[in-house]
Amino acid sequence: MTGHYFGFLIYLVMGPLFLIGLLLLIGGTLFCGKKEDIGRLTIEYIEEELSRPGRFTRIRRLLSLTSVLTFVTLFIVGVVTYTSFHYTESVSFCGQFCHTVMEPEYVTFQNSPHSQVSCVQCHIGAGAEWMTRSKFTGVRQLFAVAMDTYPRPIPTPLEALRPERATCEGCHRPEVFHGDKLYVKDRFLPDEANTHVQTVMVMRIGSGGYSGREAHGIHWHVSEEHRVSYVGSRDRNTIRQVVLREADRDPVVYGRAGGVFPSGGTEERLMDCIDCHNRPTHVFLTAGEALDQKLITGVIPREIPFIKRQGLAALQRKYPSQEVATRAIANELMEWYRREYPEIVEGRNDLLKKAVMGIQQAYIENVFPEMNIDWGTYMSFTGHREDDSGCFRCHNNEFRTETGRTITQDCDACHIILVEDQPARDIREILKGL
Ligand code: HEC
Ligand code: HEC
Ligand code: HEC
Ligand code: HEC
Ligand code: HEC
């Protein structure tokens, strides 16, 4: 039996059964107290026994036995309550118990920088109010899973389990970040040599401003002095109106010029970490990113010609399940290499097998057909993959104030691109050559 079902059995089945048994026992003792042999320790019995001088020691022994047993019982009850409560807060319960439902979030979580942070640290955080809310929605969700009525994929945001600014700020404090940071992005071209190219950029991380320091750069949005809020669609992919409020100034309202807007919008929402970092831990990559990551870490050997191009083609087909996908990906690739590069299938079969496994892994870690999660189902808001995504949901030409002011689209406000998709070199050479 795997760990999480064992935990479920102990904490949520055996524990409560023990408690029910105990209640039945107490009930039985009270209601059947008049009958002999069962009602041993009723008040009447004790009074009667006490009035008989010779029985006194027996009574005392019985009483101490009772107190010891009571303590033992209370201890077990305490431990069961405590551990059951903690079990429902564990990563194993949240991530693995309803296996299919939570698998995508659990798998991506495990491959992320937050794999050592527990689900509840982000989804519930401190405070009794959130905890109570989460337990109520939790019960509803258990029913949805039991009745098979849950949505696939699970829509975000999760209203009652919403990570909010305070939960992130328990560990990160963007108001004390400062300055810029060098980002190197590795990529591989879909050519025969799988050419390794790099984009090198200075990311203007900036700061939320703190004890006299000015807010600047990307984390300018989290400062108290400049409050950005917006009205948008429920999934936050489309934004209708942006409002900037600053001390001692009238609010600046940016409206979308003539934009068509889907119905079912939200109330005005103050922007926080999640409006950019919506994927801090459930990081679903695109097929290209997933392959680049496997190639740069050597999980997929770069020596196999056209492995990026062929891998991408195999990954992007539709499959009904991960099992079918892994088989089909292996078949397709082996067939192609047998036809086009028989010398590799003969001479370097180990390397090719390794590459195939890496490509299968890229699929399994990001696509979950059982939950209708394909490449790009959950998009990150931290960059801009398409014209109107991520930062460009607001930083685009369409938003204007009455006086015609737009939200900045200056590339250098966010990052300075030093080289873009250039053949990889030693970073010192790139920096010296500028
Ligand atoms: C570092 C913080 C963090 C941790 C740890 C974390 N999550 Fe999340 N989770 C988020 C954020 C942020 C979202 C997206 C919220 C939004 O967009 O409103 C999210 C969304 C989700 C969703 C909705 C579907 C989706 O992908 O958007 C599910 C389900 C979920 N998390 C389950 C889990 C489970 C299970 C665990 C533990 C295995 C976990 N989370 C751990 C931050 C976290
Ligand atoms: C319990 C502590 C904790 C909480 C809560 C937490 N984080 Fe983190 N975060 C970490 C740790 C630890 C790292 C990893 C640092 C590293 O690997 O360098 C990290 C890394 C990050 C990174 C850098 C990721 C990268 O690719 O290098 C971002 C961005 C981030 N967290 C955002 C968030 C956001 C947004 C939230 C709230 C939803 C959050 N974190 C909640 C501890 C936490
Ligand atoms: C306007 C969008 C935006 C908001 C709001 C925002 N961030 Fe960021 N943050 C970014 C971007 C963009 C980066 C750099 C690129 C990346 O890490 O993907 C970044 C980087 C980070 C990092 C990594 C810093 C480093 O030095 O590597 C952490 C940690 C982080 N943010 C935490 C937070 C927390 C916590 C909040 C909320 C209080 C927050 N951010 C609000 C956009 C934002
Ligand atoms: C909800 C709308 C919204 C989103 C989403 C958004 N911004 Fe902004 N951002 C604004 C507004 C409004 C301003 C202030 C107007 C201006 O100066 O253009 C601003 C200003 C900035 C500035 C200039 C700060 C300064 O020092 O004046 C930077 C840098 C920036 N944003 C980066 C980003 C990045 C990076 C992202 C995506 C990760 C992002 N923004 C996403 C609304 C948004
Ligand atoms: C509002 C802020 C903002 C503006 C304006 C902006 N970008 Fe970006 N851009 C980002 C962020 C944030 C990332 C990094 C996301 C990440 O960490 O992957 C990025 C990433 C990139 C990348 C690297 C993509 C990759 O993964 O290789 C390129 C290239 C790029 N931007 C080009 C541009 C150009 C050209 C412009 C001007 C027309 C521009 N950007 C304007 C915020 C911005």
PDB file of all heavy atoms in Angstrom, residues 102-114:
ATOM      1  N   MET A 102      -5.198  16.081  -8.952  1.00  0.00           N
ATOM      2  CA  MET A 102      -4.131  16.975  -8.536  1.00  0.00           C
ATOM      3  C   MET A 102      -2.796  16.664  -9.200  1.00  0.00           C
ATOM      4  O   MET A 102      -1.809  17.337  -8.948  1.00  0.00           O
ATOM      5  CB  MET A 102      -3.953  16.920  -7.012  1.00  0.00           C
ATOM      6  CG  MET A 102      -4.977  17.708  -6.245  1.00  0.00           C
ATOM      7  SD  MET A 102      -4.976  19.445  -6.714  1.00  0.00           S
ATOM      8  CE  MET A 102      -6.717  19.711  -6.900  1.00  0.00           C
ATOM      9  N   GLU A 103      -2.751  15.608 -10.028  1.00  0.00           N
ATOM     10  CA  GLU A 103      -1.459  15.207 -10.571  1.00  0.00           C
ATOM     11  C   GLU A 103      -0.722  16.341 -11.303  1.00  0.00           C
ATOM     12  O   GLU A 103       0.452  16.567 -11.053  1.00  0.00           O
ATOM     13  CB  GLU A 103      -1.612  13.989 -11.488  1.00  0.00           C
ATOM     14  CG  GLU A 103      -0.284  13.316 -11.707  1.00  0.00           C
ATOM     15  CD  GLU A 103      -0.298  12.333 -12.858  1.00  0.00           C
ATOM     16  OE1 GLU A 103      -1.333  12.230 -13.534  1.00  0.00           O
ATOM     17  OE2 GLU A 103       0.732  11.695 -13.072  1.00  0.00           O
ATOM     18  N   PRO A 104      -1.422  17.087 -12.187  1.00  0.00           N
ATOM     19  CA  PRO A 104      -0.703  18.151 -12.896  1.00  0.00           C
ATOM     20  C   PRO A 104      -0.067  19.159 -11.942  1.00  0.00           C
ATOM     21  O   PRO A 104       1.102  19.509 -12.106  1.00  0.00           O
ATOM     22  CB  PRO A 104      -1.796  18.824 -13.733  1.00  0.00           C
ATOM     23  CG  PRO A 104      -2.888  17.829 -13.834  1.00  0.00           C
ATOM     24  CD  PRO A 104      -2.821  16.984 -12.610  1.00  0.00           C
ATOM     25  N   GLU A 105      -0.813  19.586 -10.931  1.00  0.00           N
ATOM     26  CA  GLU A 105      -0.275  20.582 -10.007  1.00  0.00           C
ATOM     27  C   GLU A 105       0.831  19.979  -9.155  1.00  0.00           C
ATOM     28  O   GLU A 105       1.821  20.628  -8.856  1.00  0.00           O
ATOM     29  CB  GLU A 105      -1.375  21.158  -9.104  1.00  0.00           C
ATOM     30  CG  GLU A 105      -2.165  22.284  -9.736  1.00  0.00           C
ATOM     31  CD  GLU A 105      -3.055  21.790 -10.868  1.00  0.00           C
ATOM     32  OE1 GLU A 105      -3.522  20.640 -10.789  1.00  0.00           O
ATOM     33  OE2 GLU A 105      -3.253  22.543 -11.829  1.00  0.00           O
ATOM     34  N   TYR A 106       0.650  18.700  -8.779  1.00  0.00           N
ATOM     35  CA  TYR A 106       1.646  18.054  -7.934  1.00  0.00           C
ATOM     36  C   TYR A 106       2.964  17.851  -8.690  1.00  0.00           C
ATOM     37  O   TYR A 106       4.041  18.135  -8.174  1.00  0.00           O
ATOM     38  CB  TYR A 106       1.090  16.717  -7.438  1.00  0.00           C
ATOM     39  CG  TYR A 106       2.028  15.969  -6.531  1.00  0.00           C
ATOM     40  CD1 TYR A 106       2.368  16.503  -5.285  1.00  0.00           C
ATOM     41  CD2 TYR A 106       2.583  14.754  -6.906  1.00  0.00           C
ATOM     42  CE1 TYR A 106       3.240  15.836  -4.451  1.00  0.00           C
ATOM     43  CE2 TYR A 106       3.452  14.079  -6.071  1.00  0.00           C
ATOM     44  CZ  TYR A 106       3.779  14.618  -4.846  1.00  0.00           C
ATOM     45  OH  TYR A 106       4.646  13.953  -4.023  1.00  0.00           O
ATOM     46  N   VAL A 107       2.867  17.384  -9.937  1.00  0.00           N
ATOM     47  CA  VAL A 107       4.070  17.110 -10.722  1.00  0.00           C
ATOM     48  C   VAL A 107       4.839  18.399 -10.996  1.00  0.00           C
ATOM     49  O   VAL A 107       6.053  18.474 -10.799  1.00  0.00           O
ATOM     50  CB  VAL A 107       3.695  16.409 -12.051  1.00  0.00           C
ATOM     51  CG1 VAL A 107       4.881  16.337 -12.986  1.00  0.00           C
ATOM     52  CG2 VAL A 107       3.172  15.015 -11.768  1.00  0.00           C
ATOM     53  N   THR A 108       4.103  19.447 -11.410  1.00  0.00           N
ATOM     54  CA  THR A 108       4.784  20.703 -11.719  1.00  0.00           C
ATOM     55  C   THR A 108       5.382  21.318 -10.457  1.00  0.00           C
ATOM     56  O   THR A 108       6.472  21.885 -10.486  1.00  0.00           O
ATOM     57  CB  THR A 108       3.822  21.702 -12.378  1.00  0.00           C
ATOM     58  OG1 THR A 108       2.598  21.717 -11.626  1.00  0.00           O
ATOM     59  CG2 THR A 108       3.515  21.310 -13.809  1.00  0.00           C
ATOM     60  N   PHE A 109       4.663  21.170  -9.353  1.00  0.00           N
ATOM     61  CA  PHE A 109       5.147  21.656  -8.057  1.00  0.00           C
ATOM     62  C   PHE A 109       6.480  20.987  -7.715  1.00  0.00           C
ATOM     63  O   PHE A 109       7.441  21.636  -7.314  1.00  0.00           O
ATOM     64  CB  PHE A 109       4.070  21.350  -7.009  1.00  0.00           C
ATOM     65  CG  PHE A 109       4.513  21.253  -5.579  1.00  0.00           C
ATOM     66  CD1 PHE A 109       4.603  22.383  -4.786  1.00  0.00           C
ATOM     67  CD2 PHE A 109       4.787  20.015  -5.007  1.00  0.00           C
ATOM     68  CE1 PHE A 109       4.988  22.281  -3.452  1.00  0.00           C
ATOM     69  CE2 PHE A 109       5.163  19.903  -3.678  1.00  0.00           C
ATOM     70  CZ  PHE A 109       5.269  21.045  -2.903  1.00  0.00           C
ATOM     71  N   GLN A 110       6.536  19.668  -7.925  1.00  0.00           N
ATOM     72  CA  GLN A 110       7.751  18.939  -7.576  1.00  0.00           C
ATOM     73  C   GLN A 110       8.948  19.334  -8.417  1.00  0.00           C
ATOM     74  O   GLN A 110      10.076  19.195  -7.976  1.00  0.00           O
ATOM     75  CB  GLN A 110       7.496  17.454  -7.723  1.00  0.00           C
ATOM     76  CG  GLN A 110       6.563  16.976  -6.641  1.00  0.00           C
ATOM     77  CD  GLN A 110       6.926  15.582  -6.209  1.00  0.00           C
ATOM     78  OE1 GLN A 110       7.039  14.701  -7.034  1.00  0.00           O
ATOM     79  NE2 GLN A 110       7.124  15.396  -4.933  1.00  0.00           N
ATOM     80  N   ASN A 111       8.702  19.846  -9.640  1.00  0.00           N
ATOM     81  CA  ASN A 111       9.811  20.252 -10.494  1.00  0.00           C
ATOM     82  C   ASN A 111      10.106  21.738 -10.373  1.00  0.00           C
ATOM     83  O   ASN A 111      10.782  22.300 -11.220  1.00  0.00           O
ATOM     84  CB  ASN A 111       9.478  19.934 -11.960  1.00  0.00           C
ATOM     85  CG  ASN A 111       9.355  18.452 -12.182  1.00  0.00           C
ATOM     86  OD1 ASN A 111      10.044  17.671 -11.534  1.00  0.00           O
ATOM     87  ND2 ASN A 111       8.472  18.051 -13.072  1.00  0.00           N
ATOM     88  N   SER A 112       9.582  22.395  -9.359  1.00  0.00           N
ATOM     89  CA  SER A 112       9.721  23.852  -9.282  1.00  0.00           C
ATOM     90  C   SER A 112      10.607  24.254  -8.113  1.00  0.00           C
ATOM     91  O   SER A 112      10.916  23.433  -7.250  1.00  0.00           O
ATOM     92  CB  SER A 112       8.339  24.481  -9.109  1.00  0.00           C
ATOM     93  OG  SER A 112       7.999  24.542  -7.735  1.00  0.00           O
ATOM     94  N   PRO A 113      11.009  25.541  -8.056  1.00  0.00           N
ATOM     95  CA  PRO A 113      11.824  25.990  -6.924  1.00  0.00           C
ATOM     96  C   PRO A 113      11.074  25.897  -5.595  1.00  0.00           C
ATOM     97  O   PRO A 113      11.683  25.990  -4.552  1.00  0.00           O
ATOM     98  CB  PRO A 113      12.137  27.454  -7.242  1.00  0.00           C
ATOM     99  CG  PRO A 113      11.684  27.705  -8.608  1.00  0.00           C
ATOM    100  CD  PRO A 113      10.767  26.617  -9.020  1.00  0.00           C
ATOM    101  N   HIS A 114       9.755  25.743  -5.636  1.00  0.00           N
ATOM    102  CA  HIS A 114       8.986  25.711  -4.384  1.00  0.00           C
ATOM    103  C   HIS A 114       8.646  24.306  -3.913  1.00  0.00           C
ATOM    104  O   HIS A 114       7.740  24.137  -3.100  1.00  0.00           O
ATOM    105  CB  HIS A 114       7.698  26.530  -4.540  1.00  0.00           C
ATOM    106  CG  HIS A 114       7.945  27.999  -4.623  1.00  0.00           C
ATOM    107  ND1 HIS A 114       7.899  28.688  -5.796  1.00  0.00           N
ATOM    108  CD2 HIS A 114       8.262  28.902  -3.677  1.00  0.00           C
ATOM    109  CE1 HIS A 114       8.172  29.959  -5.569  1.00  0.00           C
ATOM    110  NE2 HIS A 114       8.405  30.114  -4.296  1.00  0.00           N
TER     111      HIS A 114
END
